[in-house]
């Protein structure tokens, strides 16, 4: 078995994995959530890098030739160091990909005004990764960022559909839109935010479109595998999925079922 590894700080990456599995059901996957140490969003660079590297190493040890960092914060703060410093010595031939570049590469297809908003964790916003990556593909686009530190806890505590969530949804959207009246596209640059999309729509004009990453990342992975037959042939294809969590497997199964909209069986991974 050489499954494709999908890593996230916790449950959120399931919003991305859900679309990857739908788009590419033939492959085997291992999803690893580092629930014991989530959330990553408020943590410093070194910590996020160390945690992410450790989990990537576990996925390699479990036989994954390719690992997707489904977590925006890990993609923002750890991906480049892992790709440039660690992979060449530690695991030549193995690959790690993130979610920010694939998203940044397509935003230009959506915006007319060339002004977009990015909603993300504080860690992702401070890294400026979206600003940097979007500028590479679309130098004419202006990017406005807004950190939404209360949104991950709302989703993690299953309060995202509650009336109390409205206050924080409206608050951060107002703060973003106050930065420019010309924003016509908003990128959800955090794995958890798609679960708040119905509430967001209540406070946004219809003229503003909201982009979730799942389908974008899934399409980009399909394209990557097509362009890299040497990697594609290494990935096993039995349509099997295994879930691992660094916290309680029972808790993971209960929460993951909400994200995946189906029952999930999980195993505990000791760090
Ligand atoms: N998965 C993280 C992200 O996409 C959100 C949760 C966390 O802060 O760990 O940024």
């Amino acid at each position: 078995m050489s499954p494709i590894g999908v890593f996230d700080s916790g449950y959120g990456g399931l919003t991305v994995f859900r679309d990857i599995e739908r788009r590419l059901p033939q492959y085997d996957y291992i999803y690893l959530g580092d629930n014991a140490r989530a959330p990553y969003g408020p943590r410093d660079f070194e910590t996020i890098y160390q945690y992410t590297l450790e989990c990537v190493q576990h996925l390699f040890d479990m036989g994954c030739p390719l690992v997707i960092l489904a977590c925006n914060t890990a993609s923002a703060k750890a991906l480049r160091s892992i790709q440039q410093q660690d992979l060449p010595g530690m695991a030549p031939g193995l690959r790690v990909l993130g979610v920010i570049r694939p998203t940044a590469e397509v935003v230009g297809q959506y915006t007319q005004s060339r002004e977009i908003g990015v909603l993300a964790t504080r860690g992702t916003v401070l890294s400026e990764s979206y600003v940097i990556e979007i500028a590479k593909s679309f130098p004419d686009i202006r990017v406005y960022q807004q950190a939404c530190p209360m949104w991950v806890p709302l989703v993690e505590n299953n309060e995202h559909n509650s009336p109390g969530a409205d206050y924080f949804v409206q608050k951060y959207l107002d703060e973003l839109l106050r930065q420019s009246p010309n924003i016509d596209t908003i990128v959800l640059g955090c794995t958890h935010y798609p679960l708040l999309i119905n509430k967001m729509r209540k406070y946004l004009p219809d003229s503003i479109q909201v982009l979730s990453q799942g389908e974008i990342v899934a399409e980009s992975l399909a394209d990557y595998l097509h362009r890299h037959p040497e990697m594609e042939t290494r990935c096993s294809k039995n349509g099997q999925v295994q879930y691992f969590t660094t916290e309680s497997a029972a808790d993971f199964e209960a929460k993951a079922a909400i994200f995946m909209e189906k029952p999930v069986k999980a195993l505990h991974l000791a760090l």
Side-chain angles (χ1 to χ4, degrees):
M1 287 279 277
S2 303
I4 297 173
V6 179
F7 167 72
D8 183 52
S9 55
Y11 307 108
L14 293 168
T15 61
V16 174
F17 176 59
R18 207 169 49 186
D19 285 312
I20 291 179
E21 194 193 13
R22 259 182 224 147
R23 174 70 180 79
L24 299 164
Q26 66 273 37
Y27 295 102
D28 298 319
Y29 297 96
I30 292 182
Y31 181 94
L32 171 58
D34 189 9
N35 297 81
R37 301 186 294 195
Y40 280 16
R43 296 190 188 277
D44 64 26
F45 169 86
E46 191 55 32
T47 308
I48 295 168
Y49 164 62
Q50 288 300 340
Y51 287 179
T52 305
L53 181 60
E54 198 180 343
C55 289
V56 165
Q57 184 66 63
H58 276 290
L59 287 164
F60 286 160
D61 291 347
M62 288 192 268
C64 301
L66 172 67
V67 173
I68 312 298
L69 301 185
C71 177
N72 282 269
T73 309
S75 298
K77 298 252 182 178
L79 179 63
R80 183 182 299 206
S81 303
I82 292 175
Q83 283 176 334
Q84 293 179 358
Q85 288 168 34
D86 301 298
L87 275 187
M90 156 180 138
L94 306 184
R95 291 285 172 269
V96 182
L97 305 173
V99 287
I100 295 181
R101 180 169 293 176
T103 311
E105 281 173 353
V106 300
V107 288
Q109 299 165 18
Y110 295 90
T111 172
Q112 300 289 319
S113 68
R114 313 311 274 172
E115 293 196 20
I116 71 152
V118 173
L119 301 171
T121 64
R122 208 168 261 151
T124 301
V125 166
L126 289 177
S127 76
E128 299 255 307
S129 295
Y130 273 98
V131 179
I132 295 164
E133 289 299 330
I134 291 170
K136 284 183 196 161
S137 297
F138 307 102
D140 60 317
I141 291 181
R142 287 197 69 165
V143 181
Y144 299 89
Q145 302 190 91
Q146 178 63 46
C148 311
M150 290 301 290
W151 285 9
V152 167
L154 283 171
V155 173
E156 291 278 328
N157 289 292
N158 207 13
E159 292 288 347
H160 50 284
N161 291 319
S162 76
D166 284 67
Y167 173 82
F168 286 107
V169 169
Q170 189 173 16
K171 177 180 159 70
Y172 297 140
L173 290 178
D174 285 353
E175 284 172 18
L176 174 68
L177 296 182
R178 227 176 283 136
Q179 295 183 49
S180 169
N182 301 322
I183 292 170
D184 69 351
T185 305
I186 293 178
V187 174
L188 303 184
C190 172
T191 50
H192 287 57
Y193 298 175
L195 275 84
L196 287 159
I197 203 157
N198 292 338
K199 286 224 188 278
M200 285 182 222
R201 286 271 44 131
K202 271 171 71 178
Y203 300 105
L204 287 173
D206 290 343
S207 56
I208 296 184
Q209 48 187 338
V210 179
L211 297 187
S212 298
Q213 293 177 301
E215 285 178 19
I216 294 169
V217 171
E219 203 46 53
S220 159
L221 177 58
D223 179 57
Y224 175 86
L225 291 169
H226 182 69
R227 285 184 294 107
H228 292 87
E230 77 291 353
M231 176 58 76
E232 201 283 331
T233 48
R234 286 175 76 178
C235 298
S236 54
K237 299 171 194 71
N238 307 293
Q240 287 182 19
V241 182
Q242 286 177 288
Y243 296 89
F244 288 88
T245 173
T246 56
E247 250 264 0
S248 143
D251 286 355
F252 185 92
E253 288 173 358
K255 279 268 178 57
I258 299 171
F259 281 87
M260 296 302 286
E261 295 166 344
K262 64 181 180 188
V264 162
K265 276 262 151 240
L267 293 171
H268 174 76
L269 176 82
L271 288 171

